[in-house]
Amino acid sequence: MPPELDPMLFGEIDPPQRLLMGPGPINAHPRVLRAMSADLLGQFDPEMTAFMNQVMALYRPIFGTANEWTMLIDGTARAGIEAALVSMVAPGDTVLVVNFGRFGLLLTEILTRIGARIETVDAPWGEIVPMEAIAAAIHRSSPHLVATIHGDTSTTMAQPLEGFGDLCKAAGALSYVDATATIGGMELAADRWGVDVVTGGLQKCLGGPSGSAPITISDRAAEHIFSRRHVEAGIRMDGLSDGQGPRIGSNYFDLAMIMDYWSEKRLNHHTEATSMLYAARECARIALGEGLEARYARHASAGRAMTAGLRAMGLTVFGDDAHRMTNVTGVYIPESVDGEAVRRAMRELFEIEIGTAFGPLQGKIWRLGAMGYNAMKHKVLLTLAALEACLRMQGFALPLGEAVPAAMEAWALRQAQDERV
């Protein structure tokens, strides 16, 4: 062994069996991990292209759409975001960003790099942007595209989207929604909302690893994207003509070419990330097998239980109750408590990870997630019991033994309400 190499480089990867109860990523479902270990296939093998078609069919109900163009972008959830924005927006286009947290700011960051003219309609962290404010901002700015986050894990808020796409369409604007944090855990209704493009990720409510970004694209958005098609010289084929619009500013994230790859043309844009496609396929099979309504109810029960348990400890929950995401809960760190010491104790003593925060909330709140494979009663109860013990170790006075019963009661209440419905 070369002396300059760390001996640990030659050891097998053997991570601790940690319970990931932060805002994501979360523990992948065992079925997903097993699917990823399947043999690789050539990218044009009929078995492989059949799996691609299956993925398209599986994700349509998850997105709440009949869109033909429902597929995967190879890369983390941010790859889906960037592919959508760079393919719909050309330099100089006006884009209205609905901004209520870190990830609204991320949209602005990506759009700035594209060269868009950016307008925003904003809400303080912990609130959402009312639809009438969005309508006024559209009227004021006449945008080419309106972009928003559905659930922003930085603030734990979920932006209402009923009528959002129709509002944009009436003004002649395209619409985009980043649903990374909610896909598979809260209802997505791309068709009913009238939204043109929605993107997601596997690593949160879908219970998979980060590395694949599901996307759905309306016919209206597809027409615009194909108007910008410029096929690279080495893969040109008969019957495929370039569009008259400006060339999409990224090769890897060029949705026009990616869509041709997922179509019957099978344009050789890139080599599909086979193991991630297997993972995405299994995530969708698990979600649909459970039933989407049952899955959304489970996430709502978990979120309600987590919130009830935190309040029973005497902690203050962050943000607007009326618009809280079901799968992530923010809670203020008590002034007398070292927040990072508690997170470290949770990790080292209980093998449980909870999240810190960003921007104006950094050091002020923890974020606790219960989503996907981890949106289970016993995992919520274990997390609350461990947090109670770690707070007690920090000298924080709290009513001992109240959090778990409160969470159990909240879970049972939700279940009873669902059964009555």
Side-chain angles (χ1 to χ4, degrees):
M1 179 180 69
E4 67 274 12
L5 289 182
D6 184 341
M8 293 298 290
L9 292 175
F10 294 85
E12 286 190 52
I13 291 176
D14 186 22
Q17 294 182 335
R18 197 157 283 152
L19 180 58
L20 304 181
M21 297 297 284
I26 59 100
N27 300 88
H29 196 291
R31 278 176 51 183
V32 176
L33 297 177
R34 288 196 293 270
M36 293 180 73
S37 69
D39 284 342
L40 302 183
L41 291 169
Q43 61 180 322
F44 298 116
D45 188 309
E47 296 285 347
M48 178 63 182
T49 54
F51 288 145
M52 293 173 72
N53 290 340
Q54 290 168 16
V55 164
M56 297 175 83
L58 286 164
Y59 274 90
R60 289 184 185 113
I62 290 174
F63 277 114
T65 188
N67 288 340
E68 174 188 1
W69 300 110
T70 302
M71 55 195 185
L72 302 176
I73 305 299
D74 288 341
T76 64
R78 190 173 298 206
I81 298 170
E82 189 145 355
L85 294 179
V86 77
S87 298
M88 286 195 290
V89 178
D93 284 346
T94 298
V95 181
L96 175 65
V97 175
V98 181
N99 173 38
F100 56 101
R102 175 198 167 180
F103 295 102
L105 295 173
L106 171 63
L107 300 183
T108 300
E109 162 74 18
I110 294 170
L111 288 162
T112 299
R113 291 170 182 260
I114 292 170
R117 178 178 173 273
I118 300 165
E119 300 282 343
T120 66
V121 55
D122 307 285
W125 288 34
E127 300 178 18
I128 54 89
V129 181
M131 199 60 69
E132 55 269 25
I134 297 173
I138 291 173
H139 178 73
R140 179 185 72 242
S141 59
S142 301
H144 165 74
L145 173 75
V146 185
T148 188
I149 310 298
H150 183 210
D152 194 317
T153 53
S154 70
T155 69
T156 73
M157 295 294 106
Q159 174 68 36
L161 291 174
E162 288 293 343
F164 170 72
D166 294 333
L167 188 66
C168 300
K169 195 177 299 181
L174 293 166
S175 53
Y176 167 69
V177 171
D178 167 23
T180 299
T182 53
I183 185 170
M186 295 180 69
E187 183 191 22
L188 299 186
D191 287 357
R192 193 179 76 235
W193 295 339
V195 173
D196 287 303
V197 178
V198 186
T199 65
L202 304 187
Q203 73 273 20
K204 296 181 187 284
C205 298
L206 283 172
S210 181
S212 186
I215 184 171
T216 191
I217 302 164
S218 72
D219 288 343
R220 179 170 173 258
E223 182 179 359
H224 174 73
I225 291 164
F226 282 133
S227 76
R228 301 181 65 191
R229 178 202 272 137
H230 287 264
V231 181
E232 60 186 84
I235 57 174
R236 286 190 176 276
M237 57 191 301
D238 292 339
L240 200 60
S241 58
D242 285 347
Q244 299 304 306
R247 187 190 300 263
I248 291 168
S250 168
N251 177 287
Y252 187 75
F253 294 133
D254 185 327
L255 280 180
M257 287 199 289
I258 296 171
M259 289 155 74
D260 282 333
Y261 177 39
W262 280 78
S263 76
E264 293 303 315
K265 299 182 184 74
R266 300 297 174 198
L267 183 76
N268 181 215
H269 176 257
H270 68 282
T271 302
E272 179 61 23
T274 309
S275 297
M276 286 308 306
L277 182 137
Y278 295 166
R281 179 179 180 275
E282 194 64 15
C283 285
R285 279 178 10 100
I286 292 167
L288 297 179
E290 179 179 359
L292 292 177
E293 291 302 322
R295 191 176 183 87
Y296 302 151
R298 175 167 62 83
H299 280 79
S301 293
R304 182 187 293 246
M306 185 72 81
T307 301
L310 293 168
R311 284 182 165 143
M313 287 186 218
L315 301 177
T316 302
V317 174
F318 172 78
D320 174 12
D321 275 349
H323 299 106
R324 191 179 316 288
M325 296 169 64
T326 60
N327 52 307
V328 185
T329 305
V331 62
Y332 284 101
I333 302 168
E335 289 186 5
S336 61
V337 168
D338 182 337
E340 286 305 299
V342 169
R343 290 182 69 237
R344 185 168 57 251
M346 291 279 287
R347 192 172 58 249
E348 293 177 352
L349 298 177
F350 296 95
E351 296 290 357
I352 298 174
E353 179 184 271
I354 62 173
T356 182
F358 306 111
L361 299 177
Q362 186 172 8
K364 296 181 179 180
I365 70 169
W366 295 306
R367 294 175 300 150
L368 289 85
M371 59 188 100
Y373 189 57
N374 291 349
M376 297 185 183
K377 185 191 301 183
H378 71 282
K379 294 182 180 181
V380 172
L381 301 183
L382 287 169
T383 302
L384 291 168
L387 180 59
E388 182 181 279
C390 292
L391 283 168
R392 187 73 172 178
M393 288 168 56
Q394 280 274 311
F396 181 69
L398 73 165
L400 287 177
E402 295 295 326
V404 167
M408 292 175 66
E409 182 179 351
W411 190 292
L413 176 63
R414 177 76 195 198
Q415 191 172 37
Q417 289 174 338
D418 291 340
E419 287 172 356
R420 284 199 296 273
V421 173

